[in-house]
């Protein structure tokens, strides 16, 4: 209704007019699409994430509110560094990278994604928000400029951590997101942990979103990949949500 009437919540509450025929038709069309499984974000074309709002498009993962906690972890990990270097791996719409740049303007923020559609959308979002984030296309951290090896303060990622079996049981509204944005499992978590190590500077931090049942395994994976520890952070519902490891 807010989208159709081009207003905000307060505008809705204070409105006394009836819907025009055009508005009623537009709302009816949107409701039909919603009832047949189109996510709300594909109808409105955007998703709020922390202090910003990003454009979303079919073919690119829709950012979830539970991922906002990962930005808190990354901001804390940056500590007092004067101009920290941060890399968001698997950036999708760019939500995490852009939120970090928005809240820590002095950070040098890089973002990567293997999907060209995601890279294009993240660049569009960066331009629209006027946030200077460099978005690069390729596998994990491979597309980063080589001079960043050993110089990154924080690698942050919401990787595709769902396993094949779990994928088959997902509700239809989650299956709207591209399969490659969802399926990777603990194998991808491990590949990312190993790939990130050489890029981290002394005391650098890797923070990754994980599935609610992956906490113990993910912490082991980080230790096995040479991180000093594998700490788990829970979300507001008390579920394991983020694994954090500090490089040597
Ligand atoms: C769960 S989505 C997260 C998107 C975004 N970070 C967010 O939280 O909204 C995972 C993203 O990782 C990307 N991806 C999957 N495999 C990748 C790889 N090997 N290297 C880089 N990106 C990858 C997908 O294209 C997708 O955009």
């Amino acid at each position: 209704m807010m989208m159709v009437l081009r207003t905000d919540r307060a505008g809705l509450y204070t409105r006394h007019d009836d819907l025009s025929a055009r508005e009623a038709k537009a709302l009816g069309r949107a409701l039909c699409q919603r009832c047949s499984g189109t996510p709300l974000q594909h109808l409105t074309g955007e998703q709020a994430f922390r202090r910003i709002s990003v454009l979303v498009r079919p073919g690119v993962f829709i950012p979830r509110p539970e991922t906002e906690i990962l930005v808190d972890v990354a901001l804390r990990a940056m500590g007092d560094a004067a101009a920290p270097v941060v890399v968001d791996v698997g950036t999708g719409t760019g939500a995490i990278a852009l939120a970090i740049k928005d809240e820590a303007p002095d950070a040098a923020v890089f973002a990567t994604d293997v999907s060209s559609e995601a890279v294009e959308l993240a660049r569009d979002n960066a331009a629209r928000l006027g946030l200077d984030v460099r978005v690069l296309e390729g596998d994990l951290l491979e597309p980063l400029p080589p001079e960043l090896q050993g110089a990154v303060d924080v690698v942050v990622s919401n990787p595709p951590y769902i396993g094949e079996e779990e994928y088959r049981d997902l509700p239809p509204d989650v299956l709207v997101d591209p399969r490659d944005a969802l399926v990777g499992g603990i194998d991808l978590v491990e590949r990312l942990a190993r790939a990130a190590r050489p890029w981290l500077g002394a005391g650098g931090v890797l923070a990754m979103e994980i599935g609610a049942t992956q906490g113990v395994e993910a912490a082991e994976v980080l230790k096995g990949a040479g991180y000093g520890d594998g700490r788990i952070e829970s979300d507001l519902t008390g579920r394991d949500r983020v694994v954090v490891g500090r490089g040597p």
Side-chain angles (χ1 to χ4, degrees), residues 58-213:
V60 180
F61 182 88
I62 301 168
R64 307 291 204 269
E66 57 267 30
T67 301
E68 294 186 352
I69 185 181
L70 189 56
V71 175
D72 278 323
V73 175
L75 292 171
R76 274 203 305 273
M78 282 154 50
D80 300 332
V85 179
V86 181
V87 180
D88 172 23
V89 178
T91 198
T93 58
I96 297 171
L98 293 165
I100 290 174
K101 184 68 185 173
D102 175 54
E103 294 179 44
D106 292 338
V109 184
F110 295 79
T112 74
D113 206 292
V114 79
S115 147
S116 52
E117 279 169 293
V119 166
E120 191 184 332
L121 181 55
R123 285 181 182 155
D124 286 353
N125 273 320
R128 188 172 142 271
L129 292 163
L131 292 167
D132 181 14
V133 168
R134 235 174 111 187
V135 186
L136 304 161
E137 183 175 339
D139 184 53
L140 301 180
L141 297 95
E142 262 174 28
L144 292 176
E147 62 271 20
L148 287 188
Q149 290 247 358
V152 175
D153 295 284
V154 181
V155 173
V156 64
S157 182
N158 173 17
Y161 52 73
I162 293 174
E164 290 280 354
E165 267 182 32
E166 212 184 330
Y167 180 74
R168 281 183 229 121
D169 298 332
L170 287 177
D173 55 331
V174 179
L175 296 176
V176 171
D177 287 308
R179 191 181 188 284
D180 291 347
L182 298 169
V183 179
I186 201 76
D187 292 350
L188 190 82
V189 168
E190 179 164 15
R191 197 158 79 79
L192 174 53
R194 293 191 185 279
R197 269 228 23 217
W199 294 90
L200 289 172
V205 168
L206 168 67
M208 260 189 286
E209 182 167 326
I210 50 165
T213 58

Side-chain angles (χ1 to χ4, degrees), residues 73 77 193 197 200 203-208 215-233 242-248:
V73 175
R197 269 228 23 217
L200 289 172
V205 168
L206 168 67
M208 260 189 286
V216 174
E217 207 177 355
E220 284 305 314
V221 159
L222 255 61
K223 280 181 212 150
Y227 291 82
D229 57 353
R231 199 177 78 249
I232 302 298
E233 301 240 358
V242 177
V243 64
V244 189
R246 197 168 281 279

